[in-house]
Amino acid sequence: MKTFNFNRMKKYFALLLLPLAVACSKGPKEAVLAGKLVNSVDKSAYITSNNVTDTIKLADDGTFTYKVMLNKPQLYKLNVSRTQTVLYLAPGDSSYIEFDVSAPLDGPTFSADNKDIYSNIFKRKMYIRNNVGNWRGIYGLDLEAFTQKIDSLQNALNSMIDSLQSDSKDIISLEKERVKYQILSFKANYPEYNSYFSGKPFSVDSADYSFLDDVNMNLGDKLMFDDYADLVSKYLQLKMEKNTKLKGIEDKDAVERLPIEFHFIDSLISDAKVRDFLKMQKLEEEIQFGDFYRINSIVDSYLTSCQTPAFKDAVSSLYNKKMTLAPGQQAPVFTYNDINGKPHSLTDFAGKLVYIDFWATWCGPCRHELPFLEQLQDAYKGKNIVFVSVSLDDNFEAWKKMEEEKEMKGVQLHADGAWASDVAKKYQIKGIPTFFLVGADGTIIAPNAPRPSSDEIKPLLNEELSKL
């Protein structure tokens, strides 16, 4: 059984009392979250609210302090080492948290304001984990069994909230809302996921989403609930798929597609914050996985019209960072070892095209591309191009075993640290497989380059080789 370290808390006592000095003032008040993350190998934690993330620097001993000005209670998610803790910060309140990152199922230990609510939130999280099971366990049920399961879940979660003895009635009310949106999110995902698990074709026209018409999609303040944000996104997706005028829009170029999608969002949603959120999602997806360097005017237009400062800052920051990988920019240099321990650097391939594949052995889409990559390597054997595969496997032995068994061609490297590796950070890898084409001069030709299985890759390689 874990014990709470009150001596450590005394260290923060003066800090935690600071908001109380202004508790009677009008307008926004400061909320403080202090604590310690035990056994964390990371030097930072991330705290998210309303789909905007701040970085919290951890001291060498894992301690931290986070301050924010609020005019009403706000839901936050504290993320570190692939674990997430949900908590509320309220104007004038102070809280202290200790969390052993190496034992996430033990949960956090809270003190100060709203500790009972935080504990209740974690218990409900564990209840969902233990009673819902995996996705197949709930979405593989027939409709009647699924409905019974969800109704039972909702009753149990609400009963747990009702058991709270707290003066923070506003936060308890928000938690009731959060449960409501959790249940609605399960229902919204059921038709498509059930089709997948049952092996039946999915049709948006035959699925019953009528209950979504009773959900107010214009509540910008509720975007702090992930499940509400997901419902809004799902609602937009369904409306777009059902609109005959938008058929085939997903095949259009982003420069043509995004303005059409933004216009549809404006016609569908009246709340400015929700509109800004949905457009931000579209832009972030394009910036991360599309031809981001071609949508400068669309990004500028969004930054001009966006009425939500946090969303505007998020898009601006993401776009400016991503533009460091635009065509013509110098490709980040990296050096990693092959299976024999021999180091290879990007600079070793100066004077040649370099086609880089970021992948992992556990990634299905990555493995799908491997035969096509091998065909590509055979087709360009002896040409002025080198194929470099950078594994982001956490399990070094799994990568080594697969390379030995399949006798994989090209330059095969393993990135120490996997997703936290220097190369993954520099190349801003958010999903795999991801491909880059780097020129003979070391500059980027194509970020998010075509996959080996695509029809576009050979024409691109032929064109670039002809320039050498």
Side-chain angles (χ1 to χ4, degrees):
M1 181 176 181
K2 295 198 299 184
T3 59
F4 190 82
N5 191 330
F6 284 98
N7 289 328
R8 184 177 291 115
M9 185 183 173
K10 290 177 182 178
K11 176 181 177 182
Y12 296 94
F13 189 65
L15 172 66
L16 296 175
L17 287 178
L18 285 176
L20 302 181
V22 294
C24 295
S25 63
K26 294 182 179 180
K29 300 181 182 66
E30 188 176 70
V32 178
L33 175 68
K36 181 175 183 177
L37 299 175
V38 182
N39 293 322
S40 173
V41 296
D42 297 334
K43 298 301 182 183
S44 300
Y46 302 93
I47 191 164
T48 302
S49 186
N50 275 308
N51 298 277
V52 176
T53 300
D54 287 334
T55 301
I56 300 177
K57 295 295 183 183
L58 304 179
D60 291 341
D61 62 353
T63 56
F64 69 91
T65 302
Y66 178 75
K67 303 178 184 179
V68 63
M69 298 299 293
L70 298 172
N71 55 21
K72 56 187 173 183
Q74 186 74 34
L75 181 72
Y76 285 84
K77 291 161 295 189
L78 180 65
N79 299 276
V80 62
S81 300
R82 300 183 182 179
T83 63
Q84 184 180 94
T85 299
V86 174
L87 51 86
Y88 284 90
L89 298 180
D93 282 351
S94 309
S95 292
Y96 182 88
I97 176 177
E98 285 195 13
F99 183 66
D100 187 344
V101 175
S102 66
L105 296 184
D106 290 344
T109 303
F110 290 99
S111 184
D113 301 323
N114 301 320
K115 66 177 181 179
D116 292 337
I117 291 178
Y118 297 154
S119 177
N120 190 279
I121 289 173
F122 181 76
K123 288 178 181 177
R124 280 182 279 124
K125 175 183 176 180
M126 290 297 101
Y127 184 89
I128 294 174
R129 177 190 180 100
N130 294 330
N131 287 272
V132 170
N134 57 32
W135 287 145
R136 180 181 293 277
I138 187 166
Y139 291 122
L141 298 172
D142 62 44
L143 181 58
E144 182 178 357
F146 170 79
T147 301
Q148 291 177 351
K149 184 82 170 179
I150 289 299
D151 288 346
S152 176
L153 177 65
Q154 184 172 20
N155 291 334
L157 295 177
N158 282 329
S159 178
M160 294 173 74
I161 296 175
D162 290 337
S163 69
L164 275 167
Q165 300 295 322
S166 173
D167 293 331
S168 300
K169 302 302 181 186
D170 48 355
I171 294 181
I172 291 177
S173 177
L174 288 173
E175 275 300 280
K176 285 272 190 170
E177 284 191 279
R178 190 164 75 94
V179 167
K180 177 182 72 174
Y181 294 129
Q182 282 179 313
I183 298 303
L184 287 170
S185 182
F186 276 117
K187 291 180 178 179
N189 285 323
Y190 177 76
E192 192 167 359
Y193 285 13
N194 180 256
S195 294
Y196 172 78
F197 286 121
S198 63
K200 299 176 182 177
F202 170 74
S203 171
V204 65
D205 294 319
S206 61
D208 182 12
Y209 290 103
S210 58
F211 68 93
L212 286 178
D213 292 330
D214 296 325
V215 181
N216 189 342
M217 300 294 175
N218 290 286
L219 301 175
D221 288 346
K222 305 307 177 188
L223 289 171
M224 65 177 169
F225 301 128
D226 283 350
D227 291 297
Y228 179 78
D230 290 343
L231 280 172
V232 170
S233 299
K234 185 73 172 182
Y235 181 71
L236 172 64
Q237 173 195 335
L238 294 171
K239 289 295 184 181
M240 290 183 64
E241 290 181 5
K242 285 179 174 290
N243 190 304
T244 55
K245 295 181 179 179
L246 298 180
K247 293 294 184 184
I249 190 174
E250 66 277 1
D251 298 325
K252 294 183 180 294
D253 182 270
V255 175
E256 181 181 1
R257 170 173 46 80
L258 287 174
I260 296 173
E261 291 177 334
F262 286 6
H263 179 73
F264 186 75
I265 290 170
D266 288 339
S267 69
L268 185 68
I269 302 296
S270 61
D271 184 89
K273 188 173 183 178
V274 177
R275 290 201 306 264
D276 290 342
F277 164 71
L278 291 171
K279 293 176 184 178
M280 177 181 71
Q281 279 195 319
K282 295 286 185 183
L283 282 174
E284 287 181 336
E285 181 178 5
E286 194 63 37
I287 292 171
Q288 294 287 13
F289 304 109
D291 292 338
F292 58 91
Y293 48 89
R294 301 186 63 242
I295 60 171
N296 182 66
S297 62
I298 299 174
V299 172
D300 286 344
S301 177
Y302 175 81
L303 296 179
T304 299
S305 63
C306 180
Q307 299 178 46
T308 311
F311 294 168
K312 182 186 296 188
D313 292 344
V315 169
S316 178
S317 176
L318 177 64
Y319 188 68
N320 291 335
K321 182 180 180 182
K322 194 71 174 182
M323 283 299 290
T324 62
L325 297 175
Q329 295 291 327
Q330 198 69 29
V333 175
F334 57 86
T335 302
Y336 290 105
N337 293 342
D338 63 19
I339 195 172
N340 297 313
K342 179 182 178 181
H344 296 265
S345 173
L346 183 63
T347 56
D348 295 341
F349 312 119
K352 296 183 177 182
L353 293 182
V354 184
Y355 186 64
I356 307 173
D357 172 17
F358 291 96
W359 74 294
T361 59
W362 48 261
C363 167
C366 299
R367 295 171 72 107
H368 171 77
E369 292 296 328
L370 293 181
F372 298 98
L373 179 59
E374 187 170 342
Q375 292 172 17
L376 208 59
Q377 291 167 330
D378 290 339
Y380 288 89
K381 187 176 182 180
K383 303 291 185 181
N384 208 18
I385 182 173
V386 61
F387 295 87
V388 178
S389 296
V390 181
S391 164
L392 299 182
D393 276 282
D394 287 308
N395 188 334
F396 174 85
E397 292 301 324
W399 166 73
K400 182 179 178 181
K401 179 181 178 182
M402 183 170 174
E403 183 181 343
E404 290 175 337
E405 290 180 349
K406 293 187 175 293
E407 299 180 345
M408 297 172 70
K409 300 179 180 179
V411 180
Q412 298 287 334
L413 307 177
H414 180 265
D416 299 328
W419 289 92
S421 64
D422 188 57
V423 69
K425 293 177 181 178
K426 286 182 176 178
Y427 280 81
Q428 302 176 44
I429 305 301
K430 301 299 181 183
I432 51 177
T434 292
F435 299 88
F436 274 77
L437 182 61
V438 177
D441 60 354
T443 61
I444 295 172
I445 294 174
N448 298 319
R451 296 184 176 193
S453 61
S454 71
D455 294 332
E456 294 81 14
I457 185 59
K458 284 188 176 180
L460 175 61
L461 296 183
N462 291 339
E463 178 184 355
E464 294 302 327
L465 284 170
S466 70
K467 297 176 182 179
L468 299 180

